[in-house]
Amino acid sequence: MKNLEFLRELNPAQAEAVKTVFGSLLVIAGAGSGKTRTITCRMAYLVAQGVPPEKILLLTFTRKASKEMIKRAESLLKMDCDRIMGGTFHSLCQYMLRFYGHLLGYKPNFTILDRGDTEDLINLLRNSLGLAERKKRFPRKDTLANIYSKMINQQKGLEEILTSEYPQFLDHYHEIEKLFVEYINYKREHQLMDYDDLLLNWLEILKNFPQVRKEVGERFEFIMVDEYQDTNILQGEIIKYMGEIHKNIMVVGDDSQSIYGFRGANYKNIFEFPKLFPDTKIIKLEQNYRSTQRILDLANAIISNSEIKYTKNLFTFKKEGKKPVLFKAKNETESSKFVADRILELREKGVKLSQMAVLFRSAYHSFDLEVELTKRGIPFLKYGGLKLLESAHVKDFVSFLKIISNPEDFLSWHRVLLLLEGIGPKSTEKIINYLKQNSSNIPHALEKLTFQFLLKEFKELVVFLNEMWKNKISPSETLLNVWNFYKPVFERVYYEDYYKREKDIEGLIALSEKYDTLEEFLTDLVLEPPEISDVEKPVKDEDFLVLSTVHSAKGLEWHTVFIISLIEGRFPSIYSINNEEELEEERRLFYVAVTRARENLFLIAPMTVYIPDEGKTLAKLSRFIKEVPSSLLEYYREKTENIPSENGKKFKVGDMVKHPHFGVGEVIEILSSEKIKVFFEEKGSTLLHLKYTNLEKLI
DNA sequence: CCGTACAATGTTTTT
DNA sequence: CATTGTACGG
């Protein structure tokens, strides 16, 4: 028997969850309730009891999370557990399909389409079906990809999705349906799978091949699933089949932290679980080890405003702590300054930058702050938002790699050919058609094409690719070679800002050094898309502030958390305010954000924001703050509070005013009850005497 | 048929 | 704001 000392650190509920290893188990784990610790201890406990690591399957939300948990289990046991199978649902399915995909007619080296590839393919098919040249507006490729993915993930028909979410496109029902049929066929014919296919195809194999079900069912004796509230119907079914034999399944989740509804996730999956496995034992973890009482009070208040009644109530034995601070900033600039000021103050007091985070609903909400941080020399890393793979130049670059890895990847051919000088859509189509007809010997076909297309860059491409196909070299060498070839094209195509884009490619090359094969590298790129920050700032030891979308902050915690842009339309997002269900999800999202904080929590709302066409617009404080008792918050004092003027007109900094001569302006400073400074678009900042001026207050 | 210049158009969250 | 569509000249 191994050393089980680590069990002593658990509270009774956690210990019970760890020791209940047989049968199905549902753990409802509140934010900060030691969920990760429970899962890692349980893995360690299983291994200590003599379970071979390869019989354990751990499904988490990111592969980073699963690696981290396995590493922690290893350190508890002081032995290797790397044979534990861990990863995301998508990576598990990918792995299984490489092995069993032949049952559905797939080769082991099928290509996985990322979101961009999916859209490109849909676009290609839309054009070839002639659906693009219609007078009535047809949905864009990204919208189409969304509709398709929703159908799969929510297991609903096209009509249902269109009616409920895209009624404006109902007229195109038949065209869309036809397009999707083409899309499915094309993928089948060309050995392609999108994200959804990974789940769908694996599930299909499980359903239809009892022998496979038996094999994998026997292999995985113990299954653990983290973040179960963010799984969808397909994932739930996959678990059902894979756990069918041993029925030792533990799922961990928190219904009040479900934030992936847009992806088909359904927090109700949690309540379905006991129905799927009738003898499920339920354990609740309600003691919070992370946040102070004051922060928890706010969190509980937020979630209590939900229509839905959630399953638990968090409590803590931690000290009371400081009240969360609410700061209503005049505008975004002031909001950014406030955040930067507090960050510098805290750093003076010894809080490391990496122990502070700024969270926001959407990636672009931090643009203003990023400028301010750069100005002040505060280093930061940003998570969420644009992924590296979503920028055009990186897609170009990766397309070369994909062709090298699989010469029959015609989607990538399409992209690459269009880059070459003298080749446009028509030539691309001709070349690809010829390649398709001669796909058994692509190098030969290319050779022939060089006689027809007498273009310098095309010839060079052919020579280059032949070189790459002939010689087996390491992935990073391949990348370097591609870079050499692509660079002149790159500088021509992106002549305006190629020097800014260069570092992304260089980062990618650095990333590739860890891999043994190009195929593994490409698969990882799709299944675990690197953040832009991952390659921009490779210096690991340096201290960085974290900027992150709330979604990407899931499962993490910091000493101090700032939540910015807490205004209507941003948080909650404008897209959700007309939909009760989505609004509930926004509230849960806010709850997730708040519960990331250990000691300090700052809530910031800029009361005016710029909107591209409308210019300066008044913002309303987020409803999520308004609906919480104000006693739970500390209001940050504003420096220039209302100074009432004697003639009865009250102006304060930030007010919009109208002057008979100068037009509309903004109050920027109050000097006395009679003198104020106003900024006018035309005139600049002006000192005005209220006694002599007829100033009209607009807002 | 290609490339360029300009206009329009929507902008969440992610495997 | 940066991609995506359109118009036009080469």
Side-chain angles (χ1 to χ4, degrees):
Chain A
M1 181 69 80
K2 303 261 178 187
N3 185 3
L4 292 177
E5 199 59 32
F6 57 81
L7 291 180
R8 291 199 185 182
E9 288 172 29
L10 301 171
N11 69 30
Q14 291 172 335
E16 201 189 348
V18 167
K19 288 182 182 165
T20 308
V21 295
F22 294 111
S24 48
L25 173 64
L26 167 61
V27 179
I28 309 264
S33 62
K35 185 185 65 170
T36 307
R37 195 197 309 167
T38 306
I39 295 175
T40 50
C41 282
R42 193 166 186 271
M43 272 194 292
Y45 181 74
L46 283 169
V47 175
Q49 298 287 321
V51 175
E54 65 271 17
K55 296 223 143 196
I56 302 173
L57 173 63
L58 170 68
L59 293 171
T60 54
F61 209 66
T62 63
R63 272 206 306 188
K64 210 163 86 196
S66 87
K67 271 185 209 151
E68 181 62 31
M69 286 187 205
I70 293 172
K71 213 169 76 195
R72 284 205 222 170
E74 284 177 338
S75 80
L76 289 179
L77 287 166
K78 298 175 185 67
M79 67 173 275
D80 275 359
C81 298
D82 54 2
R83 296 181 67 197
I84 293 179
M85 174 111 175
T88 61
F89 270 93
H90 289 86
S91 67
L92 168 78
C93 292
Q94 176 262 151
Y95 181 86
M96 290 304 182
L97 286 166
R98 300 266 179 224
F99 202 79
Y100 292 109
H102 64 90
L103 295 169
L104 299 179
Y106 287 99
K107 296 182 198 161
N109 69 340
F110 61 83
T111 301
I112 304 171
L113 304 177
D114 68 16
R115 187 49 193 259
D117 300 332
T118 302
E119 287 174 12
D120 287 348
L121 177 53
I122 287 179
N123 202 29
L124 214 63
L125 295 171
R126 185 180 63 172
N127 290 335
S128 73
L129 284 173
L131 293 172
E133 304 123 28
R134 301 206 159 229
K135 300 125 227 149
K136 256 189 153 179
R137 82 171 214 265
F138 196 71
R140 293 166 33 138
K141 59 178 179 168
D142 48 331
T143 316
L144 289 163
N146 268 334
I147 296 173
Y148 179 77
S149 187
K150 284 209 160 114
M151 283 170 60
I152 303 294
N153 282 300
Q154 298 176 18
Q155 293 284 287
K156 289 179 181 165
L158 176 58
E159 196 174 351
E160 197 177 339
I161 300 284
L162 287 182
T163 312
S164 65
E165 294 189 56
Y166 303 90
Q168 70 273 32
F169 297 133
L170 266 171
D171 289 348
H172 295 293
Y173 178 86
H174 292 289
E175 285 105 324
I176 298 175
E177 191 180 36
K178 194 173 163 208
L179 178 66
F180 287 168
V181 170
E182 291 289 316
Y183 175 61
I184 292 166
N185 288 341
Y186 189 98
K187 284 187 297 179
R188 283 228 158 241
E189 277 164 34
H190 294 86
Q191 298 285 328
L192 305 169
M193 291 194 208
D194 59 27
Y195 286 129
D196 302 327
D197 289 327
L198 293 173
L199 303 178
L200 209 57
N201 287 331
W202 177 231
L203 182 59
E204 189 172 334
I205 290 178
L206 286 171
K207 266 186 187 161
N208 299 329
F209 297 88
Q211 182 54 35
V212 176
R213 214 153 69 215
K214 189 160 169 279
E215 270 174 52
V216 298
E218 273 167 2
R219 165 165 177 193
F220 296 114
E221 211 172 323
F222 297 93
I223 298 177
M224 287 183 242
V225 188
D226 191 13
E227 311 279 11
Y228 198 70
Q229 75 282 358
D230 285 323
T231 58
N232 62 30
I233 303 173
L234 297 176
Q235 290 164 324
E237 281 197 55
I238 287 172
I239 286 304
K240 183 181 87 181
Y241 285 118
M242 289 185 74
E244 182 180 77
I245 293 184
H246 294 292
K247 295 194 167 58
N248 299 326
I249 304 170
M250 175 215 213
V251 301
V252 187
D254 179 358
D255 43 341
S256 49
Q257 289 191 70
S258 160
I259 54 176
Y260 281 90
F262 66 92
R263 206 166 91 182
N266 192 339
Y267 66 92
K268 290 180 190 143
N269 249 15
I270 289 195
F271 309 114
E272 295 296 319
F273 185 76
K275 293 182 197 160
L276 232 48
F277 296 93
D279 293 319
T280 297
K281 182 169 173 180
I282 299 175
I283 295 174
K284 286 187 193 178
L285 305 182
E286 294 178 296
Q287 182 177 349
N288 177 294
Y289 292 90
R290 182 185 293 153
S291 312
T292 61
Q293 187 63 53
R294 286 278 172 76
I295 292 173
L296 225 47
D297 288 342
L298 177 65
N300 282 331
I302 291 165
I303 209 69
S304 72
N305 287 319
S306 297
E307 291 298 315
I308 309 154
K309 283 292 152 258
Y310 294 104
T311 42
K312 37 158 221 326
N313 241 317
L314 292 178
F315 66 94
T316 184
F317 295 132
K318 282 186 71 166
K319 63 179 177 179
E320 185 155 90
K322 281 176 268 179
K323 272 189 192 178
V325 174
L326 172 66
F327 177 52
K328 289 194 198 176
K330 207 168 68 182
N331 50 34
E332 278 197 88
T333 315
E334 198 180 76
S335 157
S336 302
K337 285 194 172 133
F338 176 83
V339 173
D341 286 345
R342 299 290 88 67
I343 286 170
L344 291 176
E345 266 171 36
L346 284 159
R347 186 164 68 169
E348 286 293 302
K349 288 184 192 158
V351 183
K352 285 181 117 191
L353 286 180
S354 55
Q355 279 308 312
M356 299 187 254
V358 183
L359 306 181
F360 32 85
R361 169 70 239 260
S362 310
Y364 75 91
H365 296 165
S366 69
F367 287 167
D368 190 276
L369 178 64
E370 287 167 45
V371 174
E372 182 68 23
L373 292 172
T374 310
K375 222 192 284 174
R376 301 211 195 181
I378 303 174
F380 63 89
L381 289 173
K382 184 172 174 179
Y383 295 97
L386 258 197
K387 293 286 183 293
L388 193 63
L389 233 68
E390 286 167 40
S391 44
H393 55 291
V394 176
K395 282 198 230 165
D396 294 345
F397 185 79
V398 171
S399 292
F400 283 99
L401 298 175
K402 286 186 177 170
I403 293 177
I404 292 168
S405 158
N406 173 15
E408 290 175 60
D409 184 339
F410 297 113
L411 260 186
S412 299
W413 271 112
H414 192 85
R415 187 168 196 110
V416 165
L417 289 171
L418 280 174
L419 286 171
L420 304 181
E421 189 128 60
I423 296 183
K426 291 288 168 188
S427 308
T428 300
E429 212 185 314
K430 278 186 203 158
I431 294 173
I432 288 181
N433 277 334
Y434 188 75
L435 290 179
K436 273 187 186 168
Q437 278 153 27
N438 299 280
S439 58
S440 54
N441 192 347
I442 295 229
H444 181 70
L446 283 172
E447 206 65 46
K448 285 201 152 180
L449 283 166
T450 52
F451 296 113
Q452 194 186 336
F453 293 89
L454 302 164
L455 296 157
K456 184 169 153 279
E457 282 191 348
F458 181 64
K459 275 191 177 165
E460 283 169 356
L461 175 73
V462 172
V463 172
F464 170 69
L465 286 176
N466 272 323
E467 196 79 13
M468 299 311 293
W469 283 323
K470 249 184 264 162
N471 308 318
K472 274 274 160 210
I473 49 174
S474 75
S476 61
E477 279 178 287
T478 308
L479 264 75
L480 278 171
N481 279 313
V482 170
W483 188 211
N484 270 337
F485 179 83
Y486 172 55
K487 207 167 184 176
V489 181
F490 165 81
E491 286 175 4
R492 172 170 54 78
V493 177
Y494 303 104
Y495 62 95
E496 275 176 315
D497 57 352
Y498 68 89
Y499 45 91
K500 275 192 242 160
R501 296 168 181 254
E502 248 169 3
K503 60 182 187 310
D504 293 340
I505 311 283
E506 279 154 15
L508 210 60
I509 295 171
L511 224 56
S512 73
E513 274 161 19
K514 281 182 282 189
Y515 292 86
D516 295 325
T517 70
L518 187 58
E519 287 67 31
E520 279 174 60
F521 176 62
L522 289 172
T523 300
D524 266 22
L525 232 39
V526 181
L527 290 182
E528 200 88 342
E531 305 276 345
I532 290 179
S533 326
D534 288 344
V535 301
E536 258 183 12
K537 314 247 170 85
V539 207
K540 274 246 163 94
D541 307 330
E542 227 180 302
D543 196 24
F544 287 107
L545 171 72
V546 173
L547 305 192
S548 174
T549 60
V550 183
H551 283 91
S552 298
K554 176 175 181 158
L556 303 173
E557 60 175 68
W558 292 272
H559 175 278
T560 298
V561 168
F562 300 84
I563 307 174
I564 58 174
S565 277
L566 279 165
I567 54 177
E568 286 291 298
R570 286 196 170 186
F571 207 157
S573 149
I574 184 104
Y575 304 102
S576 58
I577 49 184
N578 292 319
N579 179 321
E580 204 45 53
E581 251 177 69
E582 286 177 37
L583 206 53
E584 285 292 315
E585 181 154 315
E586 296 283 311
R587 186 181 281 106
R588 293 194 293 266
L589 197 57
F590 185 45
Y591 173 79
V592 169
V594 165
T595 52
R596 298 306 97 197
R598 288 202 297 267
E599 301 281 331
N600 298 325
L601 177 63
F602 293 94
L603 308 170
I604 301 122
M607 299 318 287
T608 51
V609 286
Y610 278 100
I611 295 174
D613 296 325
E614 296 161 50
K616 199 161 199 181
T617 310
L618 262 210
K620 271 201 240 154
L621 188 62
S622 168
R623 68 186 74 190
F624 298 145
I625 294 183
K626 280 192 181 155
E627 65 193 18
V628 154
S630 57
S631 61
L632 296 178
L633 298 167
E634 168 100 30
Y635 288 76
Y636 192 82
R637 62 186 168 76
E638 286 177 58
K639 282 162 224 150
T640 43
E641 266 299 355
N642 303 348
I643 299 171
S645 74
E646 281 164 85
N647 50 13
K649 291 184 179 174
K650 290 175 190 165
F651 294 100
K652 61 177 190 297
V653 173
D655 281 346
M656 304 295 282
V657 292
K658 192 175 178 183
H659 187 276
H661 299 302
F662 308 138
V664 177
E666 183 198 342
V667 179
I668 50 173
E669 201 178 345
I670 312 246
L671 300 163
S672 74
S673 59
E674 292 297 324
K675 279 191 219 165
I676 64 172
K677 236 187 209 171
V678 179
F679 181 83
F680 294 102
E681 194 72 53
E682 297 170 21
K683 198 161 187 311
S685 94
T686 316
L687 190 65
L688 294 173
H689 289 254
L690 292 175
K691 251 184 191 164
Y692 312 117
T693 322
N694 186 11
L695 210 54
E696 191 189 339
K697 183 170 165 177
L698 292 176
I699 314 170

